[in-house]
């Protein structure tokens, strides 16, 4: 097995050339600047601006890689639960994708920092070698068949026939439950088709021309994708493969017993990419064809293979870091079921954890209208017991149905891509909508015997797979029930504003998007929150506000804290649940909670959890509905009794467990700890955590570059007591603005003047709002302690050390639409604000630093301690050393980030000359209390 690190060294197209693309951007900007002014001065400005843009793009791509890595790890955590069928190819591809994302983070951090962390490459290579050694223990031997009938397929064959066929084969052969007749065209056939026609090199040659980071790439991508798809369709299917397909077709359907001719049989051909991360992420990416006749199978097969290289599929795989060299396509070839009725069955309620009854939805005709929620189906409730008694019936008025049109000669594309532009075909002559006869509209689509037979199949499937199932089924013209698909049912009790139905993102089936009613007779403390990790947890509430609290954390308690933190991992093994008032459900702690299977809630209604849930109260955390109850809700506890899922104990699951130990755990917890170094990284998660943490520091230091540049900025025209210059990274100033002529006195230091209404940077506008606040930005004199004033003056005159500590008087704001790096270096102190504010909570942060002053060491220390008190009251994490304070506020929604930037804006002006007031220890709290109360003039309260 070749691991991602080896691929990265090859430099194939699928690894976007991040650094190369950014360098091209810089070179293009330099070229434009030099063409506009041959004397070279503007070129210097353009070069400075390009450096800022270079760093910012690197930073954004690092954050994007971090987010994508967590999506991959979350999917692996889901597979570790053992409910989903997967093969070794899935593991291999997830490893490759993860390595690519981590490599991006390592490379970008080193370029950002001037190669401060080269050891990260060595650590990444070491983990890569360890993964290789684990993989070497497991060798997969591909069976020598191009076609395998379902009677010979089990779930262990997923690597060769794809997940869809492996699942149907498992149902038919292990449970003896009817499934559609069919066979799988294997991954070996796919590889043979490409190799025989020498297609790999031709495909790679075209794909290497694609640069997804180029804003003009769409037209090129569509053209090259079309060329690849046409090339594939133009090649013949090798005779050996077509012979095996023909034999399988005739063996199954053209026999004396069936008295059928090839023209009488129509099949559905469904794509099943080997190595994909389940049906979840790839839904709709590849082609499925219905109503395919015998003489169309060869061309249909090539069309499905070609859909692997549609513009949408190529773009998707590149953006997700999925390597084509490890991806192949199996195809399920299934006889069309001319359904009299069809629908969906859930073996328990899809959102009410307490309802363990079977639910069956049914419509007349083919299944898509039931799956997609186009019409309201009949709904039946069935009890799980030996006789499967029917508990409820809700019969709808079913006005229309989908049916096969047997006279049509054209196959129907129902999903994925069938042309170069990625458009989907609608209903055509091969499948059509017709009215349901009036006498059948209000008649149940299933009789009682069929309902009970379906329920029995559902119970068998749930028992076999050891988890609730989401099942698609059909009834053929002979009245026989056939299972079309069965997969794990994800209980999805998401909060919504109104009831409704729609397509489940997890399964593609209809899921009622309605939150269940609270459990009666229990007090609801929190009614709504974001679920970071599912499950039910009970225990006594324990507030965690410090490291001391963590050290005293009791076994089986419920951890309640203000914000999520990876440091809580030290108690997760003894923790029954976690509630945090804020945090990101895609962040480090959420990933850890899922790894440790700890039910975890964050944000929304939990924002006052520390206040609403006292220490010591016994509570139940419902990690499905997002609720918290007072007391132990025995009904919820009984509803989630665990059983090992069907994949656990299989060789491929054990292999995933071994690999995941080098990927998922997080050992780098505390950034202040001495082991928080590259050499302390033991897993891919550790490396990502290190890069994520230090990327903020490197972006924070970007202001140092700004202070050394001339004439690369605009000057802000605003009523501020600072000379503020703005460097736009390309999206921070409204388009079409070129800057007004500036005062001759400042013409050598900026390109022009701009006003606040020309700014569109979200975080910078929030910071300016605080700085321009009329209550803090006023000219009224603050009370001055005379002895403090004399002390400051004496320190300036007598202390030679201050001569070298004085900073320049210009302040800079480096801005983009979601980013600001503001540095104010005035007199003897400096302050820096670095912030990102967007829709993705996991990316949002504020870093703040303040240092220096004109007073003596004691007064400067008092000032930063007062600043620390203020920031702590607004939920910043704060660190004070001598006359410097550093603070961090991260992983909060955009409105909260904006609010805290407003506070910082006020604080930046409020702190000017504050050191004159720091005459006693009591002045620290006095100043902090006044600011928190909004008494910025320090008048008598």
């Amino acid at each position: 097995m070749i691991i991602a690190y080896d691929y990265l060294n090859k430099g194939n197209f699928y690894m976007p050339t991040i650094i190369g693309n950014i360098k091209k951007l810089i070179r293009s900007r330099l070229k434009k600047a030099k063409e506009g002014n041959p004397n070279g001065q503007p070129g210097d400005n353009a070069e400075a601006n390009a450096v800022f843009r270079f760093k910012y793009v690197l930073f954004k791509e690092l954050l994007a890689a971090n987010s994508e890595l967590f999506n991959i790890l979350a999917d692996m955590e889901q597979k570790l639960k053992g409910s989903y069928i997967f093969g070794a190819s899935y593991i291999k591809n997830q490893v490759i994708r993860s390595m690519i994302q981590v490599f991006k983070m390592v490379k970008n951090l080193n370029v950002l920092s001037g190669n401060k962390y080269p050891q990260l490459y060595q650590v990444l290579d070491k983990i890569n070698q360890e993964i290789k050694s684990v993989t070497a223990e497991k060798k997969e031997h591909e069976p020598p068949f191009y076609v395998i009938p379902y009677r010979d397929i089990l779930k262990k064959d997923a690597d060769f026939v794809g997940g869809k066929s492996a699942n149907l084969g498992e149902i038919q052969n292990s449970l003896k439950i009817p499934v559609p007749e069919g066979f799988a065209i294997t991954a070996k056939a796919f590889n043979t088709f490409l190799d025989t026609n020498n297609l790999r090199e031709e495909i790679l040659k075209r794909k290497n021309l694609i640069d997804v980071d180029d804003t003009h790439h769409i037209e090129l991508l569509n053209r090259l994708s079309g060329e690849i798809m046409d090339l594939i369709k133009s090649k013949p299917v090798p005779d050996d493969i077509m012979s095996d397909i023909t034999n399988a077709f005739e063996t199954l359907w053209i026999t004396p017993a069936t008295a059928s001719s090839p023209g009488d049989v129509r099949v559905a051909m469904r794509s099943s990419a080997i190595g994909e991360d389940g049906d979840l992420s790839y839904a709709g990416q590849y082609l499925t064809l219905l109503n395919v006749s015998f003489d169309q199978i060869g061309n249909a097969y090539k069309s499905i293979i070609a859909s692997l290289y549609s513009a949408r599929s190529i773009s998707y795989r590149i953006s997700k870091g999925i390597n084509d060299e490890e991806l192949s396509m199996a195809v399920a070839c299934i006889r069309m079921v001319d359904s009299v009725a069809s629908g969906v069955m859930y073996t328990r309620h899809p959102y009410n954890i307490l309802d363990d009854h079977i639910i069956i939805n049914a419509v007349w005709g083919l299944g898509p209208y039931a799956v997609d929620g186009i019409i309201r189906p009949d709904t039946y409730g069935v009890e799980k017991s030996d006789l499967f008694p029917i508990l409820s019936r809700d019969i709808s008025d079913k006005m229309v149905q989908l049916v096969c049109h047997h006279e049509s000669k054209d196959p129907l594309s129902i999903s994925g891509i069938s042309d170069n532009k990625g458009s989907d075909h609608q209903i055509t002559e091969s499948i059509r909508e017709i009215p349901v006869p009036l006498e059948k509209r209000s008649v149940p689509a299933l009789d009682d015997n069929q309902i009970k037979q379906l329920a029995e199949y559902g119970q068998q499937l749930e028992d076999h797979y050891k988890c609730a199932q989401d099942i698609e089924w059909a009834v053929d013209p002979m009245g026989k029930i056939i299972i079309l698909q069965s997969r794990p049912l994800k209980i999805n009790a998401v909060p919504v504003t109104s009831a409704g139905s729609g397509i489940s993102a997890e399964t593609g089936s209809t899921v009622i998007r309605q939150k269940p009613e609270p459990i009666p007779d229990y007090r609801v403390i929190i009614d709504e929150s974001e679920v970071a990790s599912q499950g039910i947890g009970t225990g006594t509430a324990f507030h965690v506000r410090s490291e001391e609290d963590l050290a005293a954390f009791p076994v089986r308690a419920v951890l309640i804290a203000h914000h999520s933190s990876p440091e809580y991992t030290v108690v997760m093994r003894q923790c029954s649940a976690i509630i945090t008032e804020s945090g990101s459900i895609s962040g480090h702690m959420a990933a850890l909670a899922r790894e440790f299977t700890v039910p975890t809630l964050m944000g929304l209604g939990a924002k006052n959890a520390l206040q609403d849930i006292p220490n010591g109260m016994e509570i139940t955390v419902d990690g499905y509905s997002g609720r918290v109850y007072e007391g132990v809700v025995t009904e919820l506890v009984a509803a989630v009794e665990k059983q090992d899922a069907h994949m656990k104990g299989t060789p491929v699951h054990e292999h995933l467990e071994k690999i995941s130990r080098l990927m998922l755990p997080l050992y780098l917890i505390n950034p202040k700890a001495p082991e928080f170094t590259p050499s302390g990284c033991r897993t891919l998660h550790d490396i990502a955590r290190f890069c994520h943490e230090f990327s903020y520091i490197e972006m924070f230091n970007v202001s140092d570059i700004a202070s050394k540049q001339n004439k690369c900025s605009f000057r802000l025209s605003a009523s501020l007591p600072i000379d503020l210059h703005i460097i736009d990274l390309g999206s921070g100033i409204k388009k079409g603005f070129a800057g007004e002529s500036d005062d001759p006195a400042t013409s050598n230091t900026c390109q022009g003047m701009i006003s606040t209404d020309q700014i569109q940077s979200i975080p910078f506008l929030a910071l300016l709002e605080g700085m321009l606040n009329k209550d803090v930005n006023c000219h009224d004199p603050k009370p001055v302690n005379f002895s403090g004033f004399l002390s400051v003056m004496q320190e300036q005159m007598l202390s030679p050390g201050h001569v070298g500590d004085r900073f320049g008087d210009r302040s800079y704001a480096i801005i983009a639409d979601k980013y600001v790096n503001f540095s104010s270096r005035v007199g003897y102190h400096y302050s820096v604000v670095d912030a990102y504010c967007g829709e993705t909570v996991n990316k949002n942060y504020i870093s703040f630093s303040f240092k220096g002053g004109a007073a003596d060491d004691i007064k400067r220390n008092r000032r930063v301690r007062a600043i620390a008190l203020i920031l702590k009251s607004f939920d910043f994490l704060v660190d004070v050393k001598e006359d410097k304070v550093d603070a961090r506020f991260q992983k909060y929604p955009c409105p909260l980030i904006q609010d805290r930037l407003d506070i910082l804006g006020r604080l930046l002006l409020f702190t000017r000359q504050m050191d004159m007031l720091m005459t006693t220890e009591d002045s620290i709290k006095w100043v902090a209390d006044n600011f928190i109360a909004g008494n910025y003039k320090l008048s008598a309260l």
Side-chain angles (χ1 to χ4, degrees):
M1 169 180 170
I2 304 175
I3 302 299
Y5 204 77
D6 300 314
Y7 286 125
L8 295 172
N9 292 334
K10 288 183 183 180
N12 284 344
F13 91 96
Y14 63 86
M15 169 63 185
T17 56
I18 307 166
I19 308 304
N21 291 339
I22 297 171
K23 286 180 177 178
K24 283 194 292 185
L25 171 67
I26 294 173
R27 286 195 294 269
S28 68
R29 293 189 180 277
L30 288 173
K31 182 179 179 182
K32 289 178 183 178
K34 289 178 180 178
E35 288 173 351
N37 194 322
N39 293 326
Q41 180 63 32
D44 296 336
N45 303 330
E47 185 170 0
N49 274 310
V51 169
F52 295 129
R53 288 177 173 82
F54 178 50
K55 286 182 173 287
Y56 179 59
V57 173
L58 285 170
F59 177 61
K60 284 204 304 182
E61 291 198 353
L62 188 150
L63 294 182
N66 184 71
S67 295
E68 183 58 30
L69 175 68
F70 275 97
N71 291 336
I72 297 167
L73 298 184
D75 190 77
M76 291 182 69
E77 288 163 348
Q78 186 75 16
K79 298 299 188 293
L80 280 168
K81 293 179 180 179
S83 300
Y84 291 87
I85 290 177
F86 61 91
S89 294
Y90 162 81
I91 301 174
K92 181 162 52 177
N93 274 275
Q94 295 300 78
V95 169
I96 291 170
R97 293 178 61 197
S98 300
M99 293 290 288
I100 288 172
Q101 300 306 327
V102 176
F103 182 86
K104 287 181 185 179
M105 296 182 73
V106 170
K107 191 170 186 178
N108 283 22
L109 178 61
N110 273 288
V111 177
L112 265 175
S113 65
N115 204 34
K116 286 184 184 176
Y117 313 102
Q119 190 179 355
L120 286 172
Y121 291 109
Q122 300 169 14
V123 174
L124 183 57
D125 187 46
K126 180 175 180 292
I127 294 173
N128 173 53
Q129 297 304 324
E130 291 173 347
I131 291 175
K132 277 187 175 181
S133 66
V134 172
T135 304
E137 300 171 3
K138 184 176 179 60
K139 297 290 184 181
E140 293 296 327
H141 299 287
E142 184 178 65
F145 306 115
Y146 295 132
V147 173
I148 305 178
Y150 281 170
R151 64 173 178 268
D152 297 327
I153 293 174
L154 293 170
K155 65 183 179 183
K156 65 179 178 60
D157 300 313
D159 278 333
F160 318 117
V161 301
K164 293 182 180 72
S165 292
N167 195 30
L168 287 174
E170 178 74 12
I171 294 170
Q172 174 179 305
N173 299 310
S174 294
L175 297 178
K176 310 304 179 186
I177 293 176
V179 301
E181 296 175 337
F183 56 85
I185 306 174
T186 65
K188 179 179 176 60
F190 170 86
N191 292 322
T192 301
F193 173 76
L194 291 189
D195 293 339
T196 302
N197 291 297
N198 299 313
L199 284 168
R200 295 189 193 275
E201 186 176 346
E202 290 298 319
I203 291 171
L204 185 60
K205 187 187 303 181
R206 288 167 174 81
K207 287 168 64 179
N208 277 337
L209 298 174
I210 299 171
D211 177 6
V212 292
D213 293 320
D214 184 350
T215 55
H216 303 292
H217 82 284
I218 296 176
E219 183 178 344
L220 175 65
L221 175 61
N222 283 330
R223 180 174 65 81
L224 293 174
S225 165
E227 290 180 8
I228 294 172
M229 294 175 72
D230 289 342
L231 181 65
I232 291 171
K233 293 175 186 178
S234 70
K235 299 298 183 180
V237 179
D239 291 342
D240 289 350
I241 298 175
M242 278 308 303
S243 176
D244 284 0
I245 292 174
T246 300
N247 289 338
F249 192 99
E250 292 178 345
T251 300
L252 281 172
W253 301 310
I254 314 301
T255 64
T258 61
S260 299
S261 66
D264 295 332
V265 179
R266 297 296 176 100
V267 297
M269 298 185 70
R270 300 180 182 274
S271 57
S272 188
I274 307 296
E276 65 187 26
D277 50 340
D279 293 332
L280 315 186
S281 298
Y282 275 56
Q285 294 295 333
Y286 306 133
L287 189 63
T288 290
L289 292 172
L290 304 183
N291 214 32
V292 180
S293 63
F294 175 72
D295 59 352
Q296 295 171 325
I297 284 183
N299 287 333
Y301 176 65
K302 291 190 290 184
S303 294
I304 291 174
I305 291 176
S307 73
L308 194 63
Y309 301 99
S310 69
R312 185 167 65 176
S313 298
I314 291 172
S315 181
Y316 177 87
R317 291 198 299 275
I318 293 176
S319 67
K320 298 296 183 183
I322 300 169
N323 169 41
D324 277 23
E325 291 186 17
E326 292 298 317
L327 197 64
S328 57
M329 179 76 79
V331 176
C333 190
I334 304 167
R335 184 165 188 172
M336 290 285 292
V337 178
D338 195 2
S339 308
V340 174
S342 56
V344 179
M345 172 169 56
Y346 305 120
T347 62
R348 68 169 305 136
H349 202 285
Y351 65 84
N352 186 350
I353 188 67
L354 295 182
D355 188 347
D356 194 37
H357 297 140
I358 295 170
I359 296 175
I360 300 172
N361 292 338
V363 298
W364 293 117
L366 299 176
Y369 276 9
V371 174
D372 297 347
I374 302 298
I375 64 173
R376 191 169 76 86
D378 296 345
T379 302
Y380 310 94
V382 184
E383 182 180 307
K384 290 179 181 176
S385 62
D386 291 342
L387 298 178
F388 296 101
I390 301 170
L391 303 176
S392 63
R393 292 179 175 85
D394 179 10
I395 309 304
S396 68
D397 184 20
K398 302 172 287 298
M399 300 180 66
V400 295
Q401 63 180 319
L402 279 184
V403 297
C404 286
H405 189 203
H406 295 288
E407 296 178 5
S408 171
K409 297 181 179 180
D410 297 322
L412 168 67
S413 164
I414 63 167
S415 66
I417 298 88
S418 58
D419 57 36
N420 297 342
K421 296 181 180 179
S423 61
D424 295 346
H425 284 266
Q426 304 301 315
I427 295 174
T428 67
E429 292 182 354
S430 58
I431 289 185
R432 60 181 180 173
E433 178 184 292
I434 64 170
V436 174
L438 187 62
E439 66 274 13
K440 290 181 62 178
R441 288 183 180 178
S442 298
V443 174
L446 295 172
D447 62 35
D448 286 5
N449 289 333
Q450 290 171 325
I451 293 170
K452 292 183 179 184
Q453 180 68 76
L454 256 177
E456 183 177 353
Y457 286 162
Q459 183 68 68
Q460 288 178 311
L461 288 164
E462 181 177 273
D463 290 344
H464 179 71
Y465 288 118
K466 300 181 181 178
C467 66
Q469 294 292 294
D470 174 357
I471 301 162
E472 294 177 28
W473 57 268
V475 178
D476 72 9
M478 303 301 294
K480 181 181 179 182
I481 294 173
I482 297 172
I483 300 301
L484 305 177
Q485 184 164 245
S486 185
R487 49 197 165 190
L489 171 66
K490 187 176 178 66
I491 298 173
N492 194 4
V494 293
V496 291
T497 55
S498 61
S501 64
I503 310 289
S504 165
E506 292 80 21
T507 66
S509 299
T510 305
V511 173
I512 303 170
R513 297 292 189 180
Q514 182 179 358
K515 190 172 180 178
E517 292 296 320
I519 312 300
D521 303 324
Y522 294 93
R523 183 172 78 89
V524 177
I525 306 172
I526 295 172
D527 188 55
E528 186 178 11
S529 62
E530 291 188 282
V531 177
S533 177
Q534 288 189 335
I536 303 295
T538 64
T540 55
F542 190 86
H543 294 185
V544 172
R545 292 187 171 92
S546 65
E547 292 180 4
E548 290 75 16
D549 292 336
L550 273 180
F553 190 84
V555 175
R556 304 307 304 161
V558 177
L559 188 155
I560 303 179
H562 176 63
H563 198 280
S564 61
S565 171
E567 295 186 26
Y568 301 153
T569 189
V570 298
V571 298
M572 282 187 183
R573 291 189 185 281
Q574 63 193 67
C575 188
S576 65
I578 296 173
I579 305 169
T580 65
E581 294 180 331
S582 56
S584 168
I585 60 173
S586 60
H588 292 283
M589 195 204 80
L592 289 165
R594 291 189 291 270
E595 181 186 343
F596 285 93
T597 63
V598 179
T600 301
L601 308 181
M602 296 178 177
L604 296 177
K607 62 183 180 181
N608 296 314
L610 287 165
Q611 175 183 322
D612 296 340
I613 306 174
N615 251 327
M617 174 184 280
E618 194 164 41
I619 60 175
T620 296
V621 175
D622 182 352
Y624 296 100
S625 70
R627 290 192 177 102
V628 178
Y629 296 88
E630 181 176 3
V632 176
V633 182
T634 54
E635 296 91 332
L636 289 176
V637 175
V640 292
E641 292 180 353
K642 294 181 179 179
Q643 56 177 329
D644 288 337
H646 69 106
M647 289 296 290
K648 288 190 175 180
T650 63
V652 70
H653 190 274
E654 291 174 353
H655 183 52
L656 178 62
E657 287 180 323
K658 292 179 181 178
I659 293 288
S660 67
R661 292 177 196 134
L662 296 166
M663 298 175 65
L664 298 178
L666 181 66
Y667 300 100
L668 292 191
I669 305 300
N670 184 2
K672 298 178 183 178
E675 63 270 15
F676 202 94
T677 62
S679 61
C681 296
R682 297 159 57 185
T683 65
L684 295 186
H685 195 167
D686 283 338
I687 296 177
R689 172 90 165 102
F690 183 91
C691 293
H692 190 255
E693 184 70 26
F694 279 87
S695 66
Y696 293 134
I697 296 172
E698 295 304 327
M699 285 305 293
F700 187 84
N701 294 333
V702 76
S703 57
D704 292 335
I705 303 172
S707 65
K708 300 173 184 177
Q709 302 301 326
N710 265 333
K711 206 172 181 181
C712 62
S713 62
F714 298 101
R715 189 182 182 197
L716 183 67
S717 176
S719 180
L720 289 172
I722 56 174
D723 181 19
L724 181 53
H725 292 245
I726 296 171
I727 298 171
D728 182 23
L729 296 177
S731 55
I733 296 175
K734 293 179 181 177
K735 289 183 178 180
F737 174 71
E740 302 171 3
S741 296
D742 199 11
D743 189 308
T746 60
S747 62
N748 289 326
T749 61
C750 67
Q751 300 180 53
M753 298 282 286
I754 63 170
S755 59
T756 55
D757 60 1
Q758 290 158 338
I759 303 294
Q760 62 181 12
S761 168
I762 294 171
F764 185 42
L765 284 172
L767 190 68
L768 284 175
E769 186 172 345
M771 297 174 71
L772 293 169
N773 184 289
K774 60 183 179 60
D775 294 326
V776 68
N777 185 21
C778 63
H779 301 289
D780 296 342
K782 289 186 174 66
V784 176
N785 183 292
F786 191 66
S787 63
F789 174 74
L790 290 178
S791 173
V792 169
M793 294 298 295
Q794 180 181 6
E795 184 70 16
Q796 290 188 54
M797 290 185 291
L798 300 180
S799 176
H802 276 306
V803 175
D805 292 340
R806 182 175 176 84
F807 301 107
D809 291 333
R810 268 186 294 166
S811 299
Y812 286 93
I814 304 167
I815 64 172
D817 55 345
K818 300 175 184 177
Y819 175 74
V820 64
N821 181 286
F822 172 86
S823 58
S824 177
R825 300 162 182 260
V826 180
Y828 297 102
H829 72 266
Y830 79 80
S831 53
V832 181
V833 178
D834 190 73
Y836 187 91
C837 182
E839 295 180 2
T840 306
V841 172
N842 202 39
K843 295 181 181 179
N844 292 344
Y845 73 94
I846 302 172
S847 291
F848 173 72
S849 184
F850 182 96
K851 176 178 171 57
D856 58 52
D857 292 346
I858 294 174
K859 291 185 178 64
R860 295 204 303 272
N861 176 258
R862 287 172 181 161
R863 173 161 64 175
V864 295
R865 286 158 59 198
I867 293 172
L869 280 179
I870 292 168
L871 295 176
K872 284 180 180 179
S873 73
F874 291 104
D875 304 321
F876 281 79
L877 297 175
V878 179
D879 183 43
V880 173
K881 291 180 181 177
E882 297 179 348
D883 67 341
K884 185 172 184 287
V885 58
D886 295 298
R888 178 77 65 86
F889 185 84
Q890 63 181 356
K891 297 181 183 177
Y892 286 92
C894 187
L896 270 179
I897 295 288
Q898 290 173 282
D899 177 77
R900 296 311 191 267
L901 285 168
D902 183 311
I903 296 296
L904 280 180
R906 303 180 198 192
L907 186 62
L908 287 170
L909 295 192
F910 180 80
T911 55
R912 295 169 65 240
Q913 301 178 355
M914 185 195 289
D915 45 6
M916 297 184 191
L917 303 174
M918 301 289 106
T919 56
T920 68
E921 286 292 305
D922 292 339
S923 61
I924 298 172
K925 189 174 184 303
W926 177 76
V927 167
D929 288 345
N930 273 275
F931 181 89
I932 294 166
N935 183 25
Y936 308 123
K937 298 178 183 178
L938 299 176
S939 56
L941 290 173

